[in-house]
Amino acid sequence: MKFWDASAVIPLLLREPNSLAIRKVLARDPGLVAWWGTPVECISAFARLRREGILSLGEERRLRGLMGRLVGDWTEVLPGNGVREQAGRLLLRHPLRASDSLQLAAAMVWADGNPGEREFVCLDRRLREAASQEGFRVVPEVLG
């Protein structure tokens, strides 16, 4: 199983430049772990793309439906004191946005605070760097 950040979940559902690389990661291991807030981040991205005229309302609805099915298949890290405490610690160590600190904190909780060789699937460069510094193996190794 791998921890999936929202930046990597979106290209599973929506064709983007890194979609092929992300789908290859999923094909090698279909077990997804994700933060409880990931669906909200993805829905936010879809709504923004609709407002910008990149997606139609129908396409946005289709993507939300796909997101709902994906959520039903993954292991979800729920909010709690452990995630909140980790997020605060991460914000002191790394130049992350609050939402990214929660993503990485959820991954740290999933890894019981010891990432070792656990994999973190992410496309956001700043979050990739922080996850790597925390000990995760970040995939895909190369971004397009």
Side-chain angles (χ1 to χ4, degrees):
M1 294 186 95
K2 295 173 180 48
F3 187 91
W4 286 70
D5 171 56
S7 68
V9 171
I10 291 168
L12 283 176
L13 306 173
L14 178 66
R15 179 179 259 172
E16 292 186 348
N18 286 301
S19 291
L20 181 59
I22 289 296
R23 288 188 178 118
K24 285 181 181 178
V25 170
L26 182 64
R28 287 192 303 270
D29 178 4
L32 281 81
V33 178
W35 161 237
W36 169 86
T38 295
V40 176
E41 289 189 54
C42 293
I43 290 168
S44 172
F46 302 149
R48 178 182 49 79
L49 292 170
R50 178 193 34 83
R51 287 189 302 271
E52 292 173 355
I54 296 168
L55 293 177
S56 69
L57 181 58
E59 290 167 322
E60 180 190 8
R61 286 182 182 143
R62 181 184 66 79
L63 290 168
R64 286 195 323 256
L66 291 172
M67 180 82 247
R69 288 193 287 285
L70 190 59
V71 169
D73 290 339
W74 70 30
T75 299
E76 193 163 84
V77 179
L78 298 174
N81 289 336
V83 173
R84 183 174 44 226
E85 289 165 9
Q86 282 283 354
R89 181 187 69 77
L90 292 165
L91 286 168
L92 296 175
R93 287 181 42 106
H94 306 283
L96 296 171
R97 295 178 297 263
S99 60
D100 289 339
S101 75
L102 289 166
Q103 287 278 353
L104 185 52
M108 293 295 290
V109 167
W110 166 68
D112 293 323
N114 185 19
E117 288 299 309
R118 300 232 183 173
E119 293 179 310
F120 188 91
V121 187
C122 178
L123 298 177
D124 180 275
R125 291 187 193 282
R126 193 177 336 171
L127 184 52
R128 287 170 62 85
E129 179 65 28
S132 178
Q133 288 177 9
E134 291 297 320
F136 285 97
R137 185 168 157 256
V138 180
V139 293
E141 292 178 15
V142 179
L143 296 181

